[in-house]
Amino acid sequence: MTAFHDVVIVGGGGAGLRAAIAIAEADPKLSVAIVSKVYPMRSHTVSAEGGAAAVIADDDTLDEHAIDTVSGSDWLSDQDAVEAFIEEAPTELLRLEHWGCPWSRQSNGHIAVRAFGGMRKKRTWFAADKTGFHLLHTLFQTALSYSDIVRYDEWFVTTILVDQGRVRGVVAIELATGRIETIVAGAVIMCTGGCGRVFPFTTNANIKTGDGMALAYRAGAGLKDMEFVQYHPTGLPFTGILITEAARAEGGWLLNKDGYRYLQDYDLGTPTPEPQLRSMELGPRDRLSQAFVHEQEKGRTIDTPSGPIVHLDLRHLGVNVIDAKLPFVRELCASYQNIDPVHELIPVRPVVHYMMGGIHTDIQGATDLAGLYAAGEVACVSINGANRLGSNSLPELLVFGARAGQAAADYVRQLRPGASSAAVEAQGRDEQHRLEGELARHQGEGGSGRERIAGIRTEMQDAMEAGAGIFRDEKTLSRAVDKLRALRERYAGAAIDDHSRTFNTELVATLELSCMLDVAECIVGSALRREESRGAHQRTDFPARDDERYLAHSLVHREPDGEPRFSYLPVTITRWPPGERIYGR
Ligand SMILES: Cc1cc2nc3c(=O)[nH]c(=O)nc-3n(C[C@H](O)[C@H](O)[C@H](O)COP(=O)(O)OP(=O)(O)OC[C@H]3O[C@@H](n4cnc5c(N)ncnc54)[C@H](O)[C@@H]3O)c2cc1C
């Protein structure tokens, strides 16, 4: 079967919903579809806790937010993108307020803002510590009010269709029935989020498998800055569940095994000039995660069955602050760690959290493939460069979700692409046959003795942690490249047991694994070629930043034979020449 929409958005998280609303507002005559592998409210955006940064306080300025973002990015962000982002973020957050988002307020009624890592001023808006839930809910209910937005909930997109160099839709499986459908479109916007699941220990939901990055890459679009993977310093040790940076923003301390605030021994680019922010725990995430590894090397972390940990201490904040500002932290600690942070120390360790890299886009969300746009965590605009500052991601998906929606709407209005073409239909049929083949993997060949998907996935994740973790070098990265190549070969021969059509989670896991293998290959390949240390990419064999050779975005395209091709793009510098990463001086 074939459906047609002017614009198809893949992903129903914050970026996807914001893009859909922008299109509906731009032109009610355009038909917009949101295709999402989970019900939109289950997208990862829902789990964001800490908040969204935008200048609102009287003593804050746009320039300061821009400088923090640029220096936080270790000068790898594009400064034109940063300037657009900083300027539009406050309007986007106010718009959300008008759509019903219950931002927390001060007693005088003004928006409350909290401190966040690497931000010299308090500028992070929050809705208690359930910001993502309220933000996503607000966008979802607003999207519901536009009847032109059609939703394909629990449909899994498997490929992007390209005809004569232009993107013309997607193929998707309806998970409830196994029905495979070609959805033709004038333009496609990828809003599929990140790929934390490529690693074994992550804050990311199970659904964050980098599908959109891999599908765009296979369709011919470039992936940018893939070597930059953010570790968050405070995840619960067994589950990887995030303890939000807000816990440190409210005054939490990080203690090593001797109960010592070890961060005072490290250069974090802090302190900030404001006395209330003079907290070393609010250094940028890359430096805090790296400090943890050094503590571990010095034998000053605590060994547990779930790996080495340090402690996050909130006890001195008292029950009132914790219940008013961090109720979700208390809830998570009780449910998943069986402790009460009012009285007990929280065990934490660094955990993979966010991808700075993603589909290469310009400042309007357009990729290097005509008709393909991207926004949110799947995209690399880039405002995050080598290290994202906490609380910049939620406003980013609003600002660039809206921009990508408007740009896609303009594109289809100008081009007026026809409903379909024979070539597109043929590609849709080919994909249908491929998927039928995936479903029948080794059926009837005594498949039960064959290798399983889950084993390959675990080995891939372990190879990524060993090869491309917080610290990397040529040897570990090369080993990961070889391992991934071997895993890809084994993947081709792996079997699945479930050949049914109704909610076949094994089939989904198989398709997701193939995406993760592509993304993993791009991460390690880009990391191997970047012979310097910058932000989240720390090479022990090249410990210094090298602006001479690497003040540049890495870019990877897929060759027709499936091999990655690497190149570099210049970084856009407008007003802030590269300097030392020092906050608030
Ligand atoms: C635990 C946690 C806490 C965070 N806290 C903060 C915070 O406080 N502040 C901040 O700024 N940032 C925070 N972040 C980061 C931020 O939340 C994310 O980067 C952002 O929400 C990503 O939004 P998105 O719309 O790009 O993608 P997502 O919300 O991840 O949505 C992706 C969508 O794509 C769909 N999809 C994916 N693949 C397919 C496919 N093959 N077919 C169909 N649909 C598909 C999914 O169904 C989903 O709807 C946090 C992240 C985590 C993990």
Side-chain angles (χ1 to χ4, degrees):
M1 280 184 66
T2 305
F4 175 78
H5 299 279
D6 291 303
V7 184
V8 164
I9 296 167
V10 186
L17 292 170
R18 183 65 191 91
I21 297 166
I23 300 167
E25 282 181 334
D27 188 343
K29 289 197 289 298
L30 294 179
S31 103
V32 187
I34 298 176
V35 189
S36 177
K37 67 178 175 180
V38 296
Y39 193 72
M41 276 307 296
R42 298 177 68 92
S43 305
H44 189 72
T45 300
V46 79
S47 57
E49 301 166 29
V55 172
I56 184 97
D58 290 341
D59 68 340
D60 198 4
T61 62
L62 295 177
D63 271 9
E64 283 170 292
H65 191 184
I67 294 163
D68 288 347
T69 303
V70 169
S71 90
S73 80
D74 223 346
W75 274 270
L76 198 70
S77 50
D78 284 325
Q79 295 179 9
D80 54 346
V82 171
E83 291 193 69
F85 162 67
I86 297 311
E87 266 170 48
E88 290 168 30
T91 320
E92 281 294 328
L93 296 192
L94 279 174
R95 186 170 284 141
L96 235 68
E97 155 90 13
H98 298 155
W99 288 341
C101 187
W103 296 117
S104 293
R105 289 168 179 281
Q106 305 170 40
S107 50
N108 64 8
H110 291 175
I111 296 289
V113 278
R114 59 168 45 127
F116 238 70
M119 303 266 190
R120 71 186 65 199
K121 289 279 171 63
K122 288 190 179 184
R123 63 169 75 96
T124 297
W125 305 34
F126 55 97
D129 55 0
K130 295 187 177 166
T131 307
F133 170 83
H134 290 297
L135 181 139
L136 193 61
H137 220 284
T138 304
L139 290 170
F140 189 46
Q141 72 188 14
T142 306
L144 288 178
S145 65
Y146 291 97
S147 54
D148 326 308
I149 301 176
V150 178
R151 291 208 328 275
Y152 293 75
D153 292 340
E154 300 184 329
W155 284 66
F156 188 99
V157 172
T158 63
T159 195
I160 296 171
L161 302 170
V162 186
D163 183 24
Q164 296 178 2
R166 290 186 186 280
V167 165
R168 290 309 321 271
V170 298
V171 173
I173 308 174
E174 185 182 35
L175 296 176
T177 63
R179 183 158 66 110
I180 300 166
E181 189 155 317
T182 300
I183 307 175
V184 178
V188 172
I189 311 179
M190 302 306 281
C191 298
T192 48
C195 62
R197 286 280 153 183
V198 167
F199 288 81
F201 187 59
T202 174
T203 62
N204 283 195
N206 279 333
I207 54 174
K208 297 196 71 169
T209 48
D211 310 358
M213 294 176 190
L215 299 185
Y217 175 62
R218 290 174 194 166
L223 300 183
K224 187 162 76 188
D225 293 340
M226 292 297 284
E227 60 272 45
F228 297 100
V229 178
Q230 178 165 78
Y231 277 76
H232 193 293
T234 58
L236 292 181
F238 179 59
T239 54
I241 286 175
L242 177 76
I243 297 300
T244 169
E245 194 158 300
R248 282 171 285 126
E250 296 301 335
W253 298 330
L254 281 170
L255 308 178
N256 68 13
K257 83 168 196 228
D258 306 318
Y260 173 68
R261 286 176 77 185
Y262 59 92
L263 291 173
Q264 60 194 287
D265 297 350
Y266 298 90
D267 173 19
L268 304 170
T270 48
T272 62
E274 286 188 49
Q276 72 270 33
L277 297 188
R278 242 178 231 285
S279 162
M280 59 194 111
E281 276 79 6
L282 280 185
R285 290 175 178 177
D286 53 345
R287 299 236 171 131
L288 260 58
S289 299
Q290 290 150 20
F292 174 94
V293 177
H294 292 312
E295 283 297 289
Q296 187 188 347
E297 285 163 358
K298 291 178 198 156
R300 303 201 304 197
T301 53
I302 302 155
D303 286 328
T304 76
S306 312
I309 58 135
V310 290
H311 282 128
L312 178 62
D313 188 359
L314 305 185
R315 295 171 302 177
H316 54 285
L317 302 182
V319 65
N320 292 341
V321 169
I322 292 176
D323 279 352
K325 301 273 189 65
L326 304 166
F328 195 42
V329 167
R330 196 174 181 192
E331 207 178 302
L332 290 172
C333 287
S335 304
Y336 294 98
Q337 207 67 41
N338 199 23
I339 55 167
D340 183 353
V342 173
H343 307 293
E344 290 163 280
L345 296 169
I346 310 173
V348 290
R349 69 179 177 110
V351 54
V352 167
H353 184 54
Y354 183 88
M355 274 304 290
M356 268 70 76
I359 305 172
H360 165 48
T361 73
D362 68 11
I363 201 166
Q364 307 300 344
T367 70
D368 48 15
L369 190 59
L372 186 68
Y373 297 78
E377 191 171 337
V378 72
C380 182
V381 179
S382 131
I383 65 158
N384 300 308
N387 173 58
R388 171 182 74 102
L389 293 189
S391 75
N392 263 355
S393 171
L394 294 176
E396 175 185 356
L397 62 82
L398 295 169
V399 167
F400 293 101
R403 279 176 166 248
Q406 280 147 12
D410 289 345
Y411 172 85
V412 293
R413 276 187 303 191
Q414 274 166 21
L415 206 72
R416 303 224 157 270
S420 191
S421 73
V424 172
E425 299 284 340
Q427 276 182 47
R429 282 194 300 276
D430 287 350
E431 178 65 0
Q432 174 139 9
H433 289 142
R434 184 184 76 88
L435 292 171
E436 295 290 354
E438 287 289 337
L439 194 60
R441 259 179 184 255
H442 311 303
Q443 196 173 20
E445 286 177 24
S448 56
R450 308 283 291 264
E451 185 159 30
R452 290 291 167 280
I453 292 299
I456 298 176
R457 186 175 53 215
T458 304
E459 285 188 46
M460 173 201 66
Q461 291 168 332
D462 291 345
M464 289 304 285
E465 186 167 75
I470 295 177
F471 288 100
R472 302 122 179 230
D473 66 24
E474 208 242 309
K475 216 160 66 208
T476 63
L477 285 163
S478 302
R479 221 179 281 140
V481 170
D482 294 343
K483 178 76 184 180
L484 289 170
R485 186 157 297 144
L487 288 175
R488 179 177 294 289
E489 279 166 25
R490 282 166 51 191
Y491 168 85
I496 63 174
D497 293 326
D498 185 356
H499 304 287
S500 68
R501 292 191 178 261
T502 308
F503 287 114
N504 186 336
T505 49
E506 201 183 11
L507 174 67
V508 169
T510 306
L511 298 171
E512 287 175 340
L513 177 59
S514 85
C515 291
M516 288 195 284
L517 285 168
D518 279 359
V519 168
E521 187 176 37
C522 294
I523 294 173
V524 294
S526 307
L528 186 59
R529 276 157 189 82
R530 186 176 285 275
E531 295 180 337
E532 65 157 356
S533 290
R534 184 186 296 269
H537 173 71
Q538 291 294 311
R539 292 273 304 246
T540 48
D541 44 355
F542 295 98
R545 196 174 86 188
D546 183 352
D547 286 342
E548 253 336 81
R549 293 171 66 205
Y550 291 107
L551 184 61
H553 299 293
S554 67
L555 201 59
V556 48
H557 283 91
R558 190 170 186 261
E559 292 287 3
D561 64 359
E563 289 297 310
R565 174 172 48 84
F566 297 89
S567 57
Y568 289 91
L569 275 179
V571 172
T572 308
I573 309 274
T574 56
R575 291 161 55 202
W576 299 282
E580 206 190 327
R581 275 175 81 192
I582 299 171
Y583 296 95
R585 296 207 189 128

